[in-house]
Amino acid sequence: MTTISIIGSGNMAAAIGTRAAKHGHTVELMNRDTAKAQALADRIGNGATVGAFGARPKGDIVILAVLYTGAVEAVAHYGEALAGKIIVDITNPFNPDASGLVTAPGDSASQQIAAAAPASAKVVKAFNTIFGGVIAEDKPLDAFFAGGDAEAKARVAAFLESLDMRALDAGGLDTTHALEWAGILLVGLARNGAGFDLAFGAQAP
Amino acid sequence: MTTISIIGSGNMAAAIGTRAAKHGHTVELMNRDTAKAQALADRIGNGATVGAFGARPKGDIVILAVLYTGAVEAVAHYGEALAGKIIVDITNPFNPDASGLVTAPGDSASQQIAAAAPASAKVVKAFNTIFGGVIAEDKPLDAFFAGGDAEAKARVAAFLESLDMRALDAGGLDTTHALEWAGILLVGLARNGAGFDLAFGAQAP
């Protein structure tokens, strides 16, 4: 039970925010368009609030639920307001036809976000290997995450577990690029017969 | 029930060969060191045979179960002996510490192997998102595959299904690079707590 701040008010913000609220977290929504944030807060209910875009988030964990193309800009806009925060990068930096990435090894979206954020902020990548619809269904599922800071990862893992997800640590900040490729693979599977009601899991027979 | 040819006699050759034999396939083993191939054939049993390294494989499906570093060389050595065959690339082209790949988008191991093989041979990537130990356990599990030829993919899918695996098509030959990154992610998960008795799966709650 903690406050989770979410930057963005699209499908992923709605799915994560709704699931978080259902599991007892207080959700704060932040969007350039305050009316959109308010509409999502009303939809999520359970005491969800709206914060000013660019103001210091109330939550220690800040879900950056914007498209990749706006992620670094949003983090730069927040600037020192994100000092000490755990930034959860959920972006999938796909090329236009989702056949590959616009990021590169050593320069993943998470690494770009970390470079734009205050040094005291820690970036953890999560949620990008689960389609939003599956998050919204609120059933048990596996959630992969990666990041460079052990304490931040432990906090995010606890948050994921609180959402009835099995949190699986994939490694350090370098590994976030592998998670980005997993997004491509997930879309590939979805388009080739598996459908979009899909998430990655780890099987241990 | 078909003949499956396997080039190599290491752990993955043993795991795939044993599972294939258990499910009624006839296995042919091919290795530079014929004694090693014979030892594995004896271990697999069920009528497993040994073929000369570089000779035309008996099976339509040829599992290239060698390390990435020797894969292109092996395919070049076989040359026209692989004409018309379905080459199953199982390699994980990891860098020395398995933090990334030595291949690149558009130049995956599968694409390198396809370039080295006769034009009539078709490459399908499979098995690289499952640790060998899990294959050997012979329990139901998900198996991702990708490749550029629909008929070859259908044949490989049928083979995977015959092994009690749920065959999941991830896409075309470009997508093989995403599968290679999935190998990195699998090792990351294994090293960070999930353990090596592990394979990727697709969850559809």
Side-chain angles (χ1 to χ4, degrees):
Chain A
M1 313 313 149
T2 181
T3 298
I4 302 294
S5 295
I6 302 178
I7 301 173
S9 53
N11 288 342
M12 287 295 280
I16 296 169
T18 302
R19 187 157 178 156
K22 273 187 192 162
H23 290 272
H25 299 285
T26 303
V27 176
E28 178 191 39
L29 294 152
M30 311 177 99
N31 197 47
R32 279 183 205 278
D33 183 337
T34 306
K36 282 189 184 169
Q38 188 61 58
L40 182 54
D42 293 346
R43 199 172 127 204
I44 290 174
N46 291 293
T49 61
V50 170
F53 186 81
R56 185 157 175 82
K58 284 185 188 156
D60 291 340
I61 295 177
V62 181
I63 314 284
L64 186 61
V66 299
L67 293 178
Y68 165 70
T69 47
V72 164
E73 188 192 345
V75 168
H77 177 78
Y78 271 79
E80 284 304 313
L82 292 173
K85 299 295 186 185
I86 297 166
I87 303 171
V88 178
D89 166 31
I90 72 163
T91 65
N92 270 317
F94 293 167
N95 66 13
D97 67 356
S99 66
L101 299 174
V102 296
T103 53
D107 191 34
S108 69
S110 299
Q111 288 166 313
Q112 292 171 12
I113 288 163
S120 60
K122 306 300 176 190
V123 176
V124 177
K125 195 166 192 100
F127 293 108
N128 80 304
T129 60
I130 313 168
F131 284 122
V134 177
I135 295 172
E137 287 178 43
D138 199 26
K139 291 176 186 163
L141 79 163
D142 289 350
F144 302 160
F145 66 97
D149 184 82
E151 191 189 332
K153 288 205 292 185
R155 293 284 301 276
V156 171
F159 172 57
L160 293 168
E161 296 277 353
S162 79
L163 303 184
D164 208 8
M165 298 178 177
R166 184 170 65 135
L168 293 164
D169 185 354
L173 202 55
D174 272 347
T175 308
T176 57
H177 192 60
L179 282 176
E180 292 169 4
W181 276 103
I184 295 290
L185 189 57
L186 193 69
V187 169
L189 292 165
R191 286 177 172 169
N192 286 281
F196 286 83
D197 192 15
L198 198 66
F200 276 121
Q203 308 174 90
Chain B
M1 314 311 148
T2 179
T3 297
I4 301 295
S5 295
I6 301 178
I7 300 173
S9 55
N11 288 341
M12 287 296 281
I16 297 168
T18 301
R19 188 158 178 154
K22 273 187 192 162
H23 289 271
H25 299 284
T26 303
V27 175
E28 177 190 41
L29 293 152
M30 312 177 99
N31 197 48
R32 278 183 205 279
D33 183 337
T34 306
K36 283 188 183 171
Q38 187 62 58
L40 181 54
D42 293 345
R43 200 172 127 203
I44 291 173
N46 292 294
T49 62
V50 170
F53 187 80
R56 185 158 174 81
K58 285 183 188 158
D60 291 339
I61 294 177
V62 181
I63 315 283
L64 185 62
V66 300
L67 293 178
Y68 165 70
T69 47
V72 165
E73 188 192 345
V75 168
H77 177 79
Y78 272 79
E80 285 304 313
L82 292 173
K85 299 293 186 185
I86 298 166
I87 302 171
V88 178
D89 165 31
I90 70 162
T91 65
N92 271 316
F94 294 167
N95 66 12
D97 66 357
S99 66
L101 299 174
V102 297
T103 52
D107 191 33
S108 70
S110 299
Q111 288 165 313
Q112 293 171 12
I113 288 163
S120 60
K122 306 300 176 191
V123 176
V124 178
K125 194 167 193 100
F127 292 109
N128 80 305
T129 61
I130 312 169
F131 283 121
V134 177
I135 295 172
E137 285 178 45
D138 199 25
K139 291 176 185 163
L141 80 163
D142 289 349
F144 302 159
F145 66 95
D149 185 82
E151 190 189 334
K153 288 206 293 185
R155 293 284 302 273
V156 171
F159 173 56
L160 293 169
E161 297 276 353
S162 79
L163 303 184
D164 207 9
M165 297 178 178
R166 183 170 66 135
L168 292 164
D169 185 354
L173 201 57
D174 272 347
T175 308
T176 57
H177 191 59
L179 281 176
E180 292 169 4
W181 275 105
I184 295 290
L185 190 56
L186 193 69
V187 169
L189 292 165
R191 286 176 172 172
N192 286 281
F196 287 82
D197 192 14
L198 198 66
F200 275 120
Q203 307 175 91

